[in-house]
Amino acid sequence: MSKLYSMTKPPVLTPEETAAMQQENTTLKHEVGELKSKVEWLEEKLRLAQHKRFSSSSERTDLDSSQTRLFNEAEEEAESTVEEPTLETITYERKKKQPGQRDELLKDLPVERIEYRLPEEEQVCSCCGGPMHEMSTDIRRDLKMIPAQVKVVEHVQYIYGCRHCEHNEIYTPIVKAQMPNPVIPKSLASPSALAYILDKKYVQGMPLYRLEQQFERQGIPLSRQTLANWVVKGANQWLVKIYDRMHKELLKREYLHADETTVQVLHEPGRAAESKSYMWLYRSGQDGPPIVLYDYQETRSRKHPKNFLTGFHGYLHVDGYAGYNDIPNVKLAGCWSHARRKYDEALKALPAAKHKGSSAAKEGLDFCNKLFKIERGLKDADAEKRYEERQKQSRPVLDAFSAWLHTQKDNVLPKSALGEAVNYCLNQWEKLVTFLEDGNLEIDNNRSERSIKPFVLGRKSWLFSNTPSGARASSISYGIVETAKENGLNPFAYLEYLFEQLPNLDESAEDPLTALLPWSADLPEHVRHRR
């Protein structure tokens, strides 16, 4: 019988060949593991990018279930086996306005009264032919909008002389009537015009080229170059006096917040137009009237906060940026909102199937949520009570969280979204627990994020500054208007008042700027009225 199969012996490998193949196998397994990790990391980044682009930006995870089911209520509540009622009664409940609510809303607005009466020949009774009298009235109220109006104001200064001295004396006394100094000499700019331009640019975010177009439609030939010159001179010559004074007041506080964001300045000496510059924000906490200041600098160097905060002794709320480290006499307090946001992103980076189940990202997020829930309960407590309750409630949560972080550290990929969240908390832990030391400290740095947002929104409109001088003018102007808003002032009215008063200040008076600060009790009432 012939053999159906020919059996061949496997080749015999030398020990060196076997070792080489084992080494190659180990290397390939390592490369496959790295590639899998990289694919998972890229998938995380893709899911997170898609979520940021197409989904809600809210980080809230404690919404009531009835709210989260609002838009799929029909699908969830429908049940085909339930019989329909023979009669359906629907009752609509409408929220009623409180009596006098409209009067309260309109009480501070000027009233223009238009009366409608019957002509005398029509005031005849259609029944008996007798005369009719005014019995009552119906009143309808609506709002009338008046676009910005521009007019020329002529300041006529009378000059007085003595006729007797003109004819009989060698010297003739000349006396001029008092007239206020202009905000910008030899310019058409008035206090109201300058305040209007600054209000449009820094409060409403309108670029100067659009303001130029608006003036052109009104028949006013003001170029954007002229407007820019007015802005720079108004800020760098006059508003800087209030800015510098507020800076001195800020350094006297004990609790501050800081943040920074980018700004593009086209014509910085020795730098390309596309270079990134920075707008730094420093603001007060809850100890005293609000102060919000911005500081333009060409770089993100740590020397800038050191210079700006020279003389400050206290706590500084910051995010994780290392540029705030090593500021003399300053203790840094970290931001739990930043930490929480990283766990929220780690959860959103997971596949959709894992969102509802348990995961390490959700566990980390739950720790953060517990801390914020405790803070919400202490919102109305005084500093001493808040300190005591944090020791009782927050410290145990932080101890458990710290143990959890050290357990997770060796189980997560450092570059994954969860790994970044865990490492952020571990690296920032000393700053993150600082809020336990003082009941006046806040758990996050949201106060500075809210204050820097107006600048970020304005930047989307005007995109860049042309020169360093313009960027400095912007930092000064933003500081003035944001501090005014936080103190309940009308930014336009306050700016107009400053441009009226600052050029005419009595420099010999003791501390003449005190009465002009945004929290001064000496400010006129029309400045205090919120817009």
Side-chain angles (χ1 to χ4, degrees), residues 302-528:
R302 64 179 61 204
K303 68 180 180 181
H304 301 310
K306 279 186 178 181
N307 292 337
F308 194 90
L309 296 175
T310 299
F312 169 65
H313 297 71
Y315 291 96
L316 181 65
H317 294 80
V318 296
D319 56 18
Y321 177 49
Y324 297 105
N325 295 344
D326 304 322
I327 301 177
N329 306 309
V330 171
K331 180 73 177 287
L332 299 182
C335 178
W336 276 101
S337 284
H338 276 74
R340 185 191 181 282
R341 189 172 302 141
K342 291 185 180 297
Y343 288 102
D344 180 71
E345 291 176 352
L347 185 61
K348 291 172 180 175
L350 294 175
K354 296 184 179 181
H355 283 186
K356 295 183 179 179
S358 61
S359 64
K362 190 174 186 304
E363 290 176 8
L365 187 60
D366 287 342
F367 277 114
C368 297
N369 285 340
K370 288 178 183 178
L371 293 172
F372 279 100
K373 184 177 180 180
I374 294 169
E375 290 300 310
R376 287 195 294 272
L378 301 175
K379 181 180 178 182
D380 298 323
D382 58 31
E384 184 177 353
K385 178 68 173 177
R386 189 178 296 112
Y387 171 79
E388 293 174 354
E389 290 303 316
R390 282 173 176 173
Q391 307 308 312
K392 295 177 184 177
Q393 301 182 52
S394 300
R395 188 175 288 279
V397 175
L398 289 167
D399 291 340
F401 194 16
S402 177
W404 181 87
L405 288 169
H406 285 88
T407 301
Q408 292 296 322
K409 180 181 178 181
D410 298 327
N411 298 328
V412 296
L413 294 172
K415 291 187 177 180
S416 66
L418 179 59
E420 290 179 355
V422 169
N423 287 325
Y424 177 87
C425 286
L426 289 172
N427 294 335
Q428 298 292 318
W429 191 253
E430 184 179 349
K431 301 173 189 173
L432 289 173
V433 298
T434 298
F435 79 101
L436 294 175
E437 297 180 5
D438 191 324
N440 289 298
L441 292 172
E442 299 176 36
I443 194 173
D444 54 42
N445 196 30
N446 288 351
R447 192 177 291 270
S448 68
E449 290 193 3
R450 289 192 297 269
S451 294
I452 208 167
K453 190 173 183 179
F455 173 81
V456 174
L457 294 176
R459 183 182 59 195
K460 290 182 178 179
S461 297
W462 44 260
L463 300 179
F464 55 82
S465 292
N466 193 41
T467 64
S469 180
R472 278 189 288 272
S474 292
S475 66
I476 293 169
S477 300
Y478 268 114
I480 299 297
V481 300
E482 289 304 315
T483 304
K485 288 195 294 184
E486 293 234 0
N487 283 275
L489 305 183
N490 177 333
F492 168 76
Y494 181 58
L495 287 170
E496 182 182 25
Y497 182 70
L498 289 181
F499 288 133
E500 290 171 348
Q501 299 298 317
L502 288 171
N504 298 283
L505 271 187
D506 181 5
E507 298 293 344
S508 63
E510 183 179 353
D511 199 10
L513 293 175
T514 300
L516 300 179
L517 295 174
W519 52 87
S520 171
D522 297 326
L523 293 176
E525 190 59 32
H526 77 277
V527 172
R528 298 178 183 282

Side-chain angles (χ1 to χ4, degrees), residues 236-293:
N236 292 341
Q237 182 176 358
W238 300 119
L239 297 184
V240 69
K241 297 175 181 288
I242 301 296
Y243 177 94
D244 288 342
R245 178 59 186 275
M246 291 196 302
H247 185 191
K248 292 180 181 178
E249 293 293 326
L250 187 74
L251 298 178
K252 297 177 183 178
R253 301 294 178 86
E254 190 175 351
Y255 311 96
L256 298 185
H257 297 250
D259 202 356
E260 75 288 333
T261 188
T262 59
V263 61
Q264 186 178 5
V265 182
L266 298 184
H267 296 99
E268 290 175 318
R271 305 186 79 204
E274 61 272 13
S275 299
K276 281 186 180 180
S277 298
Y278 286 85
M279 190 68 78
W280 298 74
L281 166 79
Y282 306 91
R283 64 150 301 147
S284 61
Q286 302 180 66
D287 55 334
I291 303 175
V292 183
L293 297 180

Side-chain angles (χ1 to χ4, degrees), residues 142-213:
D142 49 30
L143 292 174
K144 180 179 180 181
M145 298 297 178
I146 304 175
Q149 298 179 351
V150 181
K151 61 182 179 181
V152 176
V153 177
E154 289 186 346
H155 297 267
V156 181
Q157 184 181 33
Y158 283 85
I159 303 172
Y160 298 84
C162 175
R163 292 199 180 278
H164 176 269
C165 291
E166 286 179 4
H167 293 92
N168 302 298
E169 303 293 340
I170 298 175
Y171 169 74
T172 302
I174 302 294
V175 180
K176 293 183 178 180
Q178 273 207 315
M179 182 172 67
N181 296 322
V183 62
I184 301 178
K186 300 179 181 179
S187 165
L188 291 174
S190 67
S192 62
L194 195 48
Y196 180 81
I197 294 165
L198 289 172
D199 180 78
K200 284 291 185 181
K201 180 174 174 62
Y202 297 112
V203 179
Q204 303 180 39
M206 180 182 287
L208 292 182
Y209 79 89
R210 284 173 54 194
L211 199 53
E212 176 190 36
Q213 293 170 352

Side-chain angles (χ1 to χ4, degrees), residues 14-27:
T14 64
E16 291 78 7
E17 292 174 327
T18 301
M21 291 184 68
Q22 288 176 344
Q23 179 63 37
E24 183 179 4
N25 183 49
T26 302
T27 301

